[in-house]
mmCIF file of all heavy atoms in Angstrom:
data_model
loop_
_atom_site.group_PDB
_atom_site.id
_atom_site.type_symbol
_atom_site.label_atom_id
_atom_site.label_comp_id
_atom_site.label_asym_id
_atom_site.label_seq_id
_atom_site.Cartn_x
_atom_site.Cartn_y
_atom_site.Cartn_z
ATOM 1 N N MET A 253 -57.414 133.351 198.712
ATOM 2 C CA MET A 253 -57.610 132.273 199.607
ATOM 3 C C MET A 253 -57.387 132.797 201.021
ATOM 4 O O MET A 253 -56.469 133.567 201.275
ATOM 5 C CB MET A 253 -56.631 131.141 199.304
ATOM 6 C CG MET A 253 -56.847 129.993 200.228
ATOM 7 S SD MET A 253 -55.756 128.570 200.078
ATOM 8 C CE MET A 253 -55.535 128.325 198.385
ATOM 9 N N LEU A 254 -58.232 132.357 201.893
ATOM 10 C CA LEU A 254 -58.136 132.711 203.309
ATOM 11 C C LEU A 254 -58.192 131.422 204.105
ATOM 12 O O LEU A 254 -59.106 130.630 203.935
ATOM 13 C CB LEU A 254 -59.294 133.626 203.712
ATOM 14 C CG LEU A 254 -59.432 133.944 205.193
ATOM 15 C CD1 LEU A 254 -58.242 134.776 205.673
ATOM 16 C CD2 LEU A 254 -60.725 134.682 205.451
ATOM 17 N N SER A 255 -57.214 131.222 204.935
ATOM 18 C CA SER A 255 -57.239 130.029 205.786
ATOM 19 C C SER A 255 -57.241 130.456 207.242
ATOM 20 O O SER A 255 -56.715 131.511 207.587
ATOM 21 C CB SER A 255 -56.040 129.138 205.496
ATOM 22 O OG SER A 255 -54.839 129.816 205.823
ATOM 23 N N PHE A 256 -57.866 129.650 208.045
ATOM 24 C CA PHE A 256 -57.915 129.906 209.480
ATOM 25 C C PHE A 256 -57.082 128.850 210.183
ATOM 26 O O PHE A 256 -57.241 127.660 209.937
ATOM 27 C CB PHE A 256 -59.351 129.817 210.018
ATOM 28 C CG PHE A 256 -60.171 131.032 209.754
ATOM 29 C CD1 PHE A 256 -61.057 131.054 208.712
ATOM 30 C CD2 PHE A 256 -60.051 132.140 210.559
ATOM 31 C CE1 PHE A 256 -61.823 132.168 208.468
ATOM 32 C CE2 PHE A 256 -60.811 133.261 210.338
ATOM 33 C CZ PHE A 256 -61.693 133.279 209.282
ATOM 34 N N SER A 257 -56.236 129.279 211.048
ATOM 35 C CA SER A 257 -55.491 128.367 211.904
ATOM 36 C C SER A 257 -56.038 128.552 213.314
ATOM 37 O O SER A 257 -55.773 129.562 213.966
ATOM 38 C CB SER A 257 -53.997 128.697 211.855
ATOM 39 O OG SER A 257 -53.288 127.828 212.698
ATOM 40 N N LEU A 258 -56.818 127.603 213.748
ATOM 41 C CA LEU A 258 -57.463 127.721 215.048
ATOM 42 C C LEU A 258 -56.563 127.115 216.120
ATOM 43 O O LEU A 258 -56.714 125.966 216.515
ATOM 44 C CB LEU A 258 -58.838 127.058 215.034
ATOM 45 C CG LEU A 258 -59.827 127.692 214.069
ATOM 46 C CD1 LEU A 258 -61.132 126.925 214.070
ATOM 47 C CD2 LEU A 258 -60.065 129.141 214.430
ATOM 48 N N THR A 259 -55.627 127.896 216.571
ATOM 49 C CA THR A 259 -54.701 127.463 217.605
ATOM 50 C C THR A 259 -55.390 127.500 218.968
ATOM 51 O O THR A 259 -56.442 128.130 219.124
ATOM 52 C CB THR A 259 -53.475 128.391 217.645
ATOM 53 O OG1 THR A 259 -53.907 129.695 218.017
ATOM 54 C CG2 THR A 259 -52.788 128.452 216.289
ATOM 55 N N PRO A 260 -54.819 126.839 219.959
ATOM 56 C CA PRO A 260 -55.407 126.908 221.305
ATOM 57 C C PRO A 260 -55.529 128.340 221.826
ATOM 58 O O PRO A 260 -56.425 128.639 222.604
ATOM 59 C CB PRO A 260 -54.439 126.091 222.160
ATOM 60 C CG PRO A 260 -53.828 125.131 221.212
ATOM 61 C CD PRO A 260 -53.716 125.892 219.900
ATOM 62 N N TYR A 261 -54.658 129.221 221.362
ATOM 63 C CA TYR A 261 -54.741 130.620 221.785
ATOM 64 C C TYR A 261 -56.075 131.228 221.354
ATOM 65 O O TYR A 261 -56.664 132.027 222.076
ATOM 66 C CB TYR A 261 -53.590 131.418 221.195
ATOM 67 C CG TYR A 261 -53.606 132.878 221.576
ATOM 68 C CD1 TYR A 261 -53.172 133.289 222.834
ATOM 69 C CD2 TYR A 261 -54.068 133.848 220.700
ATOM 70 C CE1 TYR A 261 -53.197 134.617 223.200
ATOM 71 C CE2 TYR A 261 -54.098 135.179 221.060
ATOM 72 C CZ TYR A 261 -53.657 135.561 222.305
ATOM 73 O OH TYR A 261 -53.690 136.877 222.663
ATOM 74 N N VAL A 262 -56.549 130.824 220.188
ATOM 75 C CA VAL A 262 -57.818 131.356 219.669
ATOM 76 C C VAL A 262 -58.994 130.501 220.120
ATOM 77 O O VAL A 262 -59.953 130.995 220.705
ATOM 78 C CB VAL A 262 -57.788 131.431 218.128
ATOM 79 C CG1 VAL A 262 -59.144 131.830 217.577
ATOM 80 C CG2 VAL A 262 -56.729 132.411 217.669
ATOM 81 N N SER A 263 -58.917 129.206 219.850
ATOM 82 C CA SER A 263 -60.079 128.349 220.093
ATOM 83 C C SER A 263 -60.172 127.820 221.516
ATOM 84 O O SER A 263 -61.223 127.352 221.925
ATOM 85 C CB SER A 263 -60.057 127.169 219.125
ATOM 86 O OG SER A 263 -58.897 126.382 219.336
ATOM 87 N N GLY A 264 -59.096 127.904 222.269
ATOM 88 C CA GLY A 264 -59.103 127.325 223.601
ATOM 89 C C GLY A 264 -59.523 128.258 224.717
ATOM 90 O O GLY A 264 -59.481 127.886 225.883
ATOM 91 N N GLN A 265 -59.941 129.448 224.378
ATOM 92 C CA GLN A 265 -60.342 130.423 225.380
ATOM 93 C C GLN A 265 -61.859 130.606 225.333
ATOM 94 O O GLN A 265 -62.400 130.996 224.300
ATOM 95 C CB GLN A 265 -59.655 131.768 225.124
ATOM 96 C CG GLN A 265 -58.145 131.686 225.089
ATOM 97 C CD GLN A 265 -57.556 131.223 226.408
ATOM 98 O OE1 GLN A 265 -58.020 131.613 227.475
ATOM 99 N NE2 GLN A 265 -56.548 130.379 226.346
ATOM 100 N N PRO A 266 -62.553 130.322 226.419
ATOM 101 C CA PRO A 266 -64.019 130.385 226.412
ATOM 102 C C PRO A 266 -64.583 131.736 225.957
ATOM 103 O O PRO A 266 -65.594 131.771 225.255
ATOM 104 C CB PRO A 266 -64.413 130.103 227.858
ATOM 105 C CG PRO A 266 -63.260 129.337 228.413
ATOM 106 C CD PRO A 266 -62.035 129.853 227.707
ATOM 107 N N PHE A 267 -63.931 132.836 226.317
ATOM 108 C CA PHE A 267 -64.475 134.142 225.943
ATOM 109 C C PHE A 267 -64.311 134.441 224.461
ATOM 110 O O PHE A 267 -64.901 135.376 223.946
ATOM 111 C CB PHE A 267 -63.846 135.259 226.796
ATOM 112 C CG PHE A 267 -62.378 135.466 226.563
ATOM 113 C CD1 PHE A 267 -61.939 136.386 225.626
ATOM 114 C CD2 PHE A 267 -61.441 134.751 227.284
ATOM 115 C CE1 PHE A 267 -60.589 136.587 225.407
ATOM 116 C CE2 PHE A 267 -60.091 134.948 227.082
ATOM 117 C CZ PHE A 267 -59.655 135.862 226.138
ATOM 118 N N ARG A 268 -63.528 133.625 223.750
ATOM 119 C CA ARG A 268 -63.356 133.824 222.302
ATOM 120 C C ARG A 268 -64.311 132.965 221.477
ATOM 121 O O ARG A 268 -64.379 133.108 220.259
ATOM 122 C CB ARG A 268 -61.912 133.509 221.917
ATOM 123 C CG ARG A 268 -60.931 134.502 222.454
ATOM 124 C CD ARG A 268 -59.566 134.283 221.838
ATOM 125 N NE ARG A 268 -58.649 135.294 222.324
ATOM 126 C CZ ARG A 268 -57.589 135.044 223.085
ATOM 127 N NH1 ARG A 268 -57.291 133.808 223.417
ATOM 128 N NH2 ARG A 268 -56.805 136.021 223.487
ATOM 129 N N THR A 269 -65.044 132.083 222.121
ATOM 130 C CA THR A 269 -65.912 131.156 221.400
ATOM 131 C C THR A 269 -67.026 131.876 220.649
ATOM 132 O O THR A 269 -67.234 131.629 219.456
ATOM 133 C CB THR A 269 -66.528 130.127 222.374
ATOM 134 O OG1 THR A 269 -65.473 129.459 223.044
ATOM 135 C CG2 THR A 269 -67.393 129.132 221.646
ATOM 136 N N ALA A 270 -67.752 132.748 221.307
ATOM 137 C CA ALA A 270 -68.886 133.438 220.666
ATOM 138 C C ALA A 270 -68.439 134.320 219.498
ATOM 139 O O ALA A 270 -69.039 134.242 218.416
ATOM 140 C CB ALA A 270 -69.669 134.248 221.685
ATOM 141 N N PRO A 271 -67.394 135.141 219.643
ATOM 142 C CA PRO A 271 -66.965 135.941 218.492
ATOM 143 C C PRO A 271 -66.487 135.086 217.316
ATOM 144 O O PRO A 271 -66.798 135.389 216.160
ATOM 145 C CB PRO A 271 -65.828 136.796 219.035
ATOM 146 C CG PRO A 271 -66.034 136.841 220.506
ATOM 147 C CD PRO A 271 -66.668 135.540 220.856
ATOM 148 N N MET A 272 -65.759 134.009 217.600
ATOM 149 C CA MET A 272 -65.279 133.149 216.521
ATOM 150 C C MET A 272 -66.436 132.448 215.833
ATOM 151 O O MET A 272 -66.468 132.317 214.614
ATOM 152 C CB MET A 272 -64.282 132.125 217.062
ATOM 153 C CG MET A 272 -63.699 131.272 215.981
ATOM 154 S SD MET A 272 -62.975 132.266 214.677
ATOM 155 C CE MET A 272 -61.281 131.960 214.942
ATOM 156 N N ARG A 273 -67.406 132.008 216.615
ATOM 157 C CA ARG A 273 -68.596 131.375 216.033
ATOM 158 C C ARG A 273 -69.347 132.364 215.146
ATOM 159 O O ARG A 273 -69.828 132.004 214.076
ATOM 160 C CB ARG A 273 -69.500 130.858 217.136
ATOM 161 C CG ARG A 273 -70.708 130.110 216.605
ATOM 162 C CD ARG A 273 -71.456 129.443 217.708
ATOM 163 N NE ARG A 273 -70.547 128.462 218.297
ATOM 164 C CZ ARG A 273 -70.869 127.671 219.303
ATOM 165 N NH1 ARG A 273 -72.054 127.734 219.843
ATOM 166 N NH2 ARG A 273 -69.999 126.810 219.776
ATOM 167 N N ALA A 274 -69.445 133.617 215.573
ATOM 168 C CA ALA A 274 -70.134 134.638 214.775
ATOM 169 C C ALA A 274 -69.416 134.871 213.446
ATOM 170 O O ALA A 274 -70.056 134.974 212.393
ATOM 171 C CB ALA A 274 -70.232 135.936 215.562
ATOM 172 N N VAL A 275 -68.095 134.936 213.481
ATOM 173 C CA VAL A 275 -67.316 135.141 212.246
ATOM 174 C C VAL A 275 -67.504 133.960 211.299
ATOM 175 O O VAL A 275 -67.788 134.135 210.108
ATOM 176 C CB VAL A 275 -65.827 135.354 212.571
ATOM 177 C CG1 VAL A 275 -64.976 135.253 211.318
ATOM 178 C CG2 VAL A 275 -65.614 136.682 213.246
ATOM 179 N N LEU A 276 -67.343 132.746 211.816
ATOM 180 C CA LEU A 276 -67.472 131.569 210.962
ATOM 181 C C LEU A 276 -68.892 131.403 210.425
ATOM 182 O O LEU A 276 -69.080 130.995 209.270
ATOM 183 C CB LEU A 276 -67.042 130.317 211.730
ATOM 184 C CG LEU A 276 -65.556 130.273 212.095
ATOM 185 C CD1 LEU A 276 -65.256 129.044 212.936
ATOM 186 C CD2 LEU A 276 -64.679 130.322 210.869
ATOM 187 N N SER A 277 -69.893 131.739 211.218
ATOM 188 C CA SER A 277 -71.282 131.666 210.748
ATOM 189 C C SER A 277 -71.544 132.679 209.645
ATOM 190 O O SER A 277 -72.201 132.367 208.642
ATOM 191 C CB SER A 277 -72.246 131.897 211.902
ATOM 192 O OG SER A 277 -72.170 130.854 212.822
ATOM 193 N N ALA A 278 -71.038 133.882 209.820
ATOM 194 C CA ALA A 278 -71.223 134.919 208.800
ATOM 195 C C ALA A 278 -70.530 134.528 207.506
ATOM 196 O O ALA A 278 -71.093 134.686 206.412
ATOM 197 C CB ALA A 278 -70.700 136.261 209.309
ATOM 198 N N LEU A 279 -69.324 134.011 207.600
ATOM 199 C CA LEU A 279 -68.612 133.578 206.398
ATOM 200 C C LEU A 279 -69.330 132.406 205.735
ATOM 201 O O LEU A 279 -69.449 132.362 204.508
ATOM 202 C CB LEU A 279 -67.172 133.186 206.746
ATOM 203 C CG LEU A 279 -66.250 134.328 207.137
ATOM 204 C CD1 LEU A 279 -64.909 133.786 207.611
ATOM 205 C CD2 LEU A 279 -66.056 135.304 205.993
ATOM 206 N N GLY A 280 -69.806 131.476 206.524
ATOM 207 C CA GLY A 280 -70.505 130.316 205.979
ATOM 208 C C GLY A 280 -71.834 130.663 205.328
ATOM 209 O O GLY A 280 -72.292 129.968 204.429
ATOM 210 N N ALA A 281 -72.441 131.747 205.750
ATOM 211 C CA ALA A 281 -73.738 132.153 205.199
ATOM 212 C C ALA A 281 -73.605 133.016 203.941
ATOM 213 O O ALA A 281 -74.594 133.239 203.253
ATOM 214 C CB ALA A 281 -74.527 132.926 206.256
ATOM 215 N N ASP A 282 -72.416 133.482 203.645
ATOM 216 C CA ASP A 282 -72.208 134.350 202.486
ATOM 217 C C ASP A 282 -72.202 133.515 201.206
ATOM 218 O O ASP A 282 -71.327 132.676 201.011
ATOM 219 C CB ASP A 282 -70.882 135.099 202.621
ATOM 220 C CG ASP A 282 -70.698 136.168 201.562
ATOM 221 O OD1 ASP A 282 -71.265 136.044 200.459
ATOM 222 O OD2 ASP A 282 -69.972 137.130 201.842
ATOM 223 N N PRO A 283 -73.175 133.730 200.312
ATOM 224 C CA PRO A 283 -73.253 132.925 199.091
ATOM 225 C C PRO A 283 -72.109 133.209 198.112
ATOM 226 O O PRO A 283 -71.899 132.450 197.171
ATOM 227 C CB PRO A 283 -74.605 133.310 198.489
ATOM 228 C CG PRO A 283 -74.875 134.676 199.015
ATOM 229 C CD PRO A 283 -74.250 134.719 200.389
ATOM 230 N N ASN A 284 -71.369 134.274 198.324
ATOM 231 C CA ASN A 284 -70.262 134.613 197.432
ATOM 232 C C ASN A 284 -68.953 133.943 197.829
ATOM 233 O O ASN A 284 -67.958 134.091 197.125
ATOM 234 C CB ASN A 284 -70.054 136.127 197.402
ATOM 235 C CG ASN A 284 -71.251 136.841 196.820
ATOM 236 O OD1 ASN A 284 -71.736 136.486 195.761
ATOM 237 N ND2 ASN A 284 -71.754 137.827 197.532
ATOM 238 N N LEU A 285 -68.959 133.235 198.942
ATOM 239 C CA LEU A 285 -67.748 132.573 199.409
ATOM 240 C C LEU A 285 -67.865 131.072 199.224
ATOM 241 O O LEU A 285 -68.931 130.492 199.362
ATOM 242 C CB LEU A 285 -67.503 132.879 200.893
ATOM 243 C CG LEU A 285 -67.237 134.332 201.224
ATOM 244 C CD1 LEU A 285 -67.032 134.498 202.725
ATOM 245 C CD2 LEU A 285 -66.025 134.850 200.482
ATOM 246 N N TRP A 286 -66.746 130.458 198.918
ATOM 247 C CA TRP A 286 -66.691 129.013 198.739
ATOM 248 C C TRP A 286 -65.873 128.440 199.883
ATOM 249 O O TRP A 286 -64.693 128.756 200.034
ATOM 250 C CB TRP A 286 -66.046 128.697 197.403
ATOM 251 C CG TRP A 286 -65.844 127.241 197.101
ATOM 252 C CD1 TRP A 286 -66.723 126.231 197.340
ATOM 253 C CD2 TRP A 286 -64.694 126.655 196.498
ATOM 254 N NE1 TRP A 286 -66.195 125.039 196.929
ATOM 255 C CE2 TRP A 286 -64.948 125.266 196.393
ATOM 256 C CE3 TRP A 286 -63.499 127.151 196.024
ATOM 257 C CZ2 TRP A 286 -64.037 124.386 195.846
ATOM 258 C CZ3 TRP A 286 -62.596 126.275 195.474
ATOM 259 C CH2 TRP A 286 -62.867 124.911 195.390
ATOM 260 N N SER A 287 -66.479 127.606 200.665
ATOM 261 C CA SER A 287 -65.790 126.937 201.749
ATOM 262 C C SER A 287 -65.388 125.561 201.253
ATOM 263 O O SER A 287 -66.240 124.741 200.906
ATOM 264 C CB SER A 287 -66.721 126.816 202.963
ATOM 265 O OG SER A 287 -66.080 126.103 203.995
ATOM 266 N N ALA A 288 -64.080 125.308 201.192
ATOM 267 C CA ALA A 288 -63.605 124.057 200.617
ATOM 268 C C ALA A 288 -62.411 123.534 201.381
ATOM 269 O O ALA A 288 -61.642 124.301 201.960
ATOM 270 C CB ALA A 288 -63.228 124.275 199.161
ATOM 271 N N GLY A 289 -62.267 122.244 201.339
ATOM 272 C CA GLY A 289 -61.094 121.599 201.900
ATOM 273 C C GLY A 289 -60.007 121.484 200.844
ATOM 274 O O GLY A 289 -60.207 121.832 199.671
ATOM 275 N N ALA A 290 -58.867 120.977 201.252
ATOM 276 C CA ALA A 290 -57.720 120.890 200.338
ATOM 277 C C ALA A 290 -58.021 120.045 199.109
ATOM 278 O O ALA A 290 -57.666 120.420 197.979
ATOM 279 C CB ALA A 290 -56.513 120.337 201.084
ATOM 280 N N SER A 291 -58.700 118.914 199.276
ATOM 281 C CA SER A 291 -58.989 118.056 198.129
ATOM 282 C C SER A 291 -59.969 118.715 197.159
ATOM 283 O O SER A 291 -59.851 118.550 195.941
ATOM 284 C CB SER A 291 -59.525 116.697 198.578
ATOM 285 O OG SER A 291 -60.743 116.849 199.265
ATOM 286 N N GLU A 292 -60.916 119.483 197.687
ATOM 287 C CA GLU A 292 -61.862 120.193 196.813
ATOM 288 C C GLU A 292 -61.151 121.279 196.010
ATOM 289 O O GLU A 292 -61.456 121.497 194.834
ATOM 290 C CB GLU A 292 -62.983 120.819 197.633
ATOM 291 C CG GLU A 292 -63.889 119.784 198.281
ATOM 292 C CD GLU A 292 -64.825 120.426 199.276
ATOM 293 O OE1 GLU A 292 -64.352 120.949 200.293
ATOM 294 O OE2 GLU A 292 -66.050 120.396 199.011
ATOM 295 N N ILE A 293 -60.205 121.952 196.630
ATOM 296 C CA ILE A 293 -59.432 122.975 195.909
ATOM 297 C C ILE A 293 -58.586 122.331 194.835
ATOM 298 O O ILE A 293 -58.523 122.813 193.690
ATOM 299 C CB ILE A 293 -58.562 123.776 196.900
ATOM 300 C CG1 ILE A 293 -59.450 124.559 197.853
ATOM 301 C CG2 ILE A 293 -57.614 124.704 196.152
ATOM 302 C CD1 ILE A 293 -58.711 125.177 199.021
ATOM 303 N N ALA A 294 -57.949 121.201 195.156
ATOM 304 C CA ALA A 294 -57.137 120.494 194.162
ATOM 305 C C ALA A 294 -57.996 120.012 193.004
ATOM 306 O O ALA A 294 -57.593 120.116 191.828
ATOM 307 C CB ALA A 294 -56.415 119.321 194.816
ATOM 308 N N ASP A 295 -59.192 119.485 193.288
ATOM 309 C CA ASP A 295 -60.094 119.039 192.227
ATOM 310 C C ASP A 295 -60.519 120.194 191.335
ATOM 311 O O ASP A 295 -60.599 120.053 190.117
ATOM 312 C CB ASP A 295 -61.338 118.372 192.816
ATOM 313 C CG ASP A 295 -61.038 117.027 193.455
ATOM 314 O OD1 ASP A 295 -59.946 116.462 193.205
ATOM 315 O OD2 ASP A 295 -61.882 116.553 194.249
ATOM 316 N N ALA A 296 -60.788 121.347 191.927
ATOM 317 C CA ALA A 296 -61.214 122.506 191.152
ATOM 318 C C ALA A 296 -60.090 123.059 190.281
ATOM 319 O O ALA A 296 -60.337 123.612 189.216
ATOM 320 C CB ALA A 296 -61.729 123.595 192.083
ATOM 321 N N ALA A 297 -58.854 122.883 190.734
ATOM 322 C CA ALA A 297 -57.707 123.376 189.970
ATOM 323 C C ALA A 297 -57.471 122.535 188.720
ATOM 324 O O ALA A 297 -56.898 123.018 187.751
ATOM 325 C CB ALA A 297 -56.453 123.370 190.836
ATOM 326 N N GLY A 298 -57.954 121.310 188.749
ATOM 327 C CA GLY A 298 -57.815 120.456 187.576
ATOM 328 C C GLY A 298 -56.489 119.722 187.549
ATOM 329 O O GLY A 298 -55.657 119.868 188.442
ATOM 330 N N PRO A 299 -56.307 118.934 186.499
ATOM 331 C CA PRO A 299 -55.079 118.150 186.406
ATOM 332 C C PRO A 299 -53.857 119.025 186.157
ATOM 333 O O PRO A 299 -53.946 120.091 185.567
ATOM 334 C CB PRO A 299 -55.334 117.231 185.200
ATOM 335 C CG PRO A 299 -56.411 117.881 184.429
ATOM 336 C CD PRO A 299 -57.205 118.721 185.384
ATOM 337 N N GLY A 300 -52.765 118.522 186.646
ATOM 338 C CA GLY A 300 -51.534 119.207 186.285
ATOM 339 C C GLY A 300 -50.791 119.794 187.349
ATOM 340 O O GLY A 300 -49.889 120.442 187.434
#
C-alpha cells in the first residue's frame, strides 16, 4: 500500500504542481495499480 499525504509543503508550492501532476497521472494510468479509497479497501478485505 502506498499513500500520499499532500501537505501544503508539497501541494502548496506552484513549482511542485507539474511534477506532482505527472507522478499522479502516471500512477493513475498504470493498469497494474489499484487506486482506492478507504471504504473500497475495507470492502475488498471482506468481513471481519
Side-chain angles (χ1 to χ4, degrees):
M253 181 182 319
L254 173 66
S255 64
F256 281 100
S257 179
L258 297 177
T259 64
Y261 180 78
V262 174
S263 62
Q265 303 298 320
F267 66 92
R268 291 190 177 115
T269 303
M272 183 54 109
R273 184 171 297 180
V275 167
L276 294 176
S277 293
L279 290 173
D282 189 333
N284 296 310
L285 296 179
W286 177 42
S287 177
S291 63
E292 293 170 295
I293 295 169
D295 290 345

